């Protein structure tokens, strides 16, 4: 449930039912034990979301998938580049979906990328992304191409434009550079907010490479006299924009009313949602910018500590 609606809505496109489960408290990632409990004979796949760029517990998830005969489709919108126990995210599950939206580690403005080790999936994806037209039509305007094509599936118009793809190739070459900048910014946040009262900082497990797409702090309600919403407003008053990742899906009207979820169904996600704030983090952010954010967060926390 701790994800953006895109993760679940694609399931609904196929008149299938997205089954939400709770997250773990440590990272906000999907709880493997909750996955196991939610599987039924109708289950076909598991979609773990690498929240903020911290990889999920993939070994446990893959073990469940193998035991239950399921596919693993990773939502890695936040996780380029990230690694789990020495394996790059994008090489672990059956399919891995990356986002190149404007706010992501690399961008093409819109669009994304899917990676797979399965030799059969790429042709199917290419065909379905362009109206279900046979692969022979891909180069029909090139010298070696042909005017003839066949529609073999009811496809979509999901292909990345050539201009966006060209931009993405250049961005991809710089992905390590952008990631290193994000790591430096995250380290500055860790140093600058380490002793801020009532503020819990994100951590990275020893066996992962965190992409640091997001830097999410958590407020401790037992140590602060104000809640998350007021804290965000006070930062906004200082000219600092923040966000919340995410409003859990089961709290949205569509998923609540259509699928019958209740607010109390996923208590861990519910508690996290009330506490989390995503602070600014992007490659062009300067150390001075980070210091300004840290100073504002510290000042608000000091002013409203219990």
């Amino acid at each position: 449930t701790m994800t953006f609606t895109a993760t679940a809505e694609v399931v609904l496109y196929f008149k299938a039912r997205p089954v939400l489960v709770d997250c773990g408290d440590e990272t906000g990632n999907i709880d493997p034990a909750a996955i196991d409990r939610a599987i039924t004979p109708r289950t076909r796949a598991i979609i773990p979301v690498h929240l903020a760029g911290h990889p999920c517990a993939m070994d446990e998830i893959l073990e469940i998938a193998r035991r239950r005969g399921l596919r693993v489709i990773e939502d890695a919108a936040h996780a380029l580049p990230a690694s789990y126990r020495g394996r790059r995210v994008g090489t672990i599950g059956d399919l891995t979906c990356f986002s190149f939206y404007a706010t992501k580690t690399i961008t093409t403005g819109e669009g994304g990328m899917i990676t797979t080790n399965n030799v059969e999936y790429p042709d199917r994806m290419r065909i379905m992304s362009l109206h279900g037209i046979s692969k022979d039509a891909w180069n029909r305007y090139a010298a070696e191409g042909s005017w003839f094509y066949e529609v073999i599936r009811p496809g979509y118009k999901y292909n990345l434009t050539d201009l966006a793809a060209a931009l993405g190739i250049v961005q991809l070459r710089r992905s390590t550079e952008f990631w290193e900048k994000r790591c430096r910014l995250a380290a500055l946040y860790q140093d600058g907010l380490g002793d801020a009262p009532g503020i819990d900082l994100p951590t990275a497990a020893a066996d992962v490479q965190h992409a640091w797409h997001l830097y999410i702090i958590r407020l401790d309600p037992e140590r602060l006299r104000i809640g998350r919403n007021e804290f965000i407003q006070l930062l906004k008053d200082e000219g600092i924009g923040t966000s919340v990742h995410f409003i859990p899906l089961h709290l949205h009207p569509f998923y609540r009313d259509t699928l019958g979820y209740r607010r109390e169904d996923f208590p861990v996600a519910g508690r996290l949602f009330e506490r989390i704030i995503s602070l600014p983090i992007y490659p062009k952010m300067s150390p001075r910018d980070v210091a300004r954010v840290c100073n504002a967060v510290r000042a608000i926390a000091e002013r409203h500590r219990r």
Side-chain angles (χ1 to χ4, degrees), residues 162-177:
D162 290 346
L163 286 174
L167 177 62
I169 289 169
V170 175
Q171 288 263 303
L172 192 59
R173 294 187 187 119
R174 300 186 65 190
S175 62
T176 299
E177 171 196 344

Side-chain angles (χ1 to χ4, degrees), residues 178-220:
F178 295 153
W179 169 71
E180 289 172 345
K181 289 179 179 178
R182 287 177 178 272
C183 287
R184 288 194 289 270
L185 295 171
L188 290 173
Y189 270 131
Q190 297 291 99
D191 291 341
L193 295 174
D195 58 352
I199 305 295
D200 296 328
L201 305 183
T203 58
D207 57 357
V208 307
Q209 173 182 296
H210 199 311
W212 292 114
H213 170 60
L214 299 175
Y215 189 88
I216 303 175
I217 62 172
R218 305 180 188 189
L219 307 185
D220 184 346

Side-chain angles (χ1 to χ4, degrees), residues 13-31:
Y13 293 166
F14 296 95
K15 296 181 170 47
R17 178 187 176 91
V19 177
L20 306 181
V21 300
D22 213 344
C23 58
D25 187 60
E26 193 75 14
T27 62
N29 282 336
I30 194 167
D31 180 359

Side-chain angles (χ1 to χ4, degrees), residues 43-64:
T43 305
R44 292 295 177 265
I46 302 167
I47 309 181
V49 181
H50 304 299
L51 184 66
H54 190 294
C56 296
M58 291 307 299
D59 281 350
E60 295 174 63
I61 293 169
L62 290 170
E63 190 279 326
I64 294 169

Side-chain angles (χ1 to χ4, degrees), residues 25-219:
D25 187 60
E26 193 75 14
T27 62
N29 282 336
I30 194 167
D31 180 359
I35 295 173
D36 222 5
R37 291 193 297 268
I39 292 171
T40 74
R42 297 172 63 88
T43 305
R44 292 295 177 265
I46 302 167
I47 309 181
V49 181
H50 304 299
L51 184 66
H54 190 294
C56 296
M58 291 307 299
D59 281 350
E60 295 174 63
I61 293 169
L62 290 170
E63 190 279 326
I64 294 169
R66 282 193 297 267
R67 177 161 41 85
R68 301 289 197 119
L70 306 175
R71 297 288 187 266
V72 175
I73 305 168
E74 296 172 67
D75 181 337
H78 295 175
L80 182 71
S83 296
Y84 173 78
R85 297 182 177 175
R87 291 170 287 170
R88 185 60 61 96
V89 170
T91 67
I92 302 172
D94 294 283
L95 292 158
T96 308
C97 304
F98 296 91
S99 170
F100 295 156
Y101 181 63
T103 58
K104 298 304 190 292
T105 306
I106 71 170
T107 183
T108 58
E110 277 287 6
M113 172 177 75
I114 305 176
T115 61
T116 181
N117 288 322
N118 185 299
V119 296
E120 297 177 2
Y121 292 160
D123 282 346
R124 169 75 172 177
M125 289 187 283
R126 291 188 185 102
I127 289 168
M128 295 304 290
S129 72
L130 191 61
H131 302 300
I133 293 175
S134 62
K135 62 182 179 181
D136 296 328
W138 284 93
N139 291 318
R140 68 182 187 273
Y141 298 124
E144 67 275 15
S146 167
W147 59 269
F148 183 79
Y149 66 89
E150 293 180 307
V151 176
I152 58 177
R153 294 285 187 275
Y156 307 94
K157 186 68 170 69
Y158 284 174
N159 60 304
L160 200 63
T161 67
D162 290 346
L163 286 174
L167 177 62
I169 289 169
V170 175
Q171 288 263 303
L172 192 59
R173 294 187 187 119
R174 300 186 65 190
S175 62
T176 299
E177 171 196 344
F178 295 153
W179 169 71
E180 289 172 345
K181 289 179 179 178
R182 287 177 178 272
C183 287
R184 288 194 289 270
L185 295 171
L188 290 173
Y189 270 131
Q190 297 291 99
D191 291 341
L193 295 174
D195 58 352
I199 305 295
D200 296 328
L201 305 183
T203 58
D207 57 357
V208 307
Q209 173 182 296
H210 199 311
W212 292 114
H213 170 60
L214 299 175
Y215 189 88
I216 303 175
I217 62 172
R218 305 180 188 189
L219 307 185

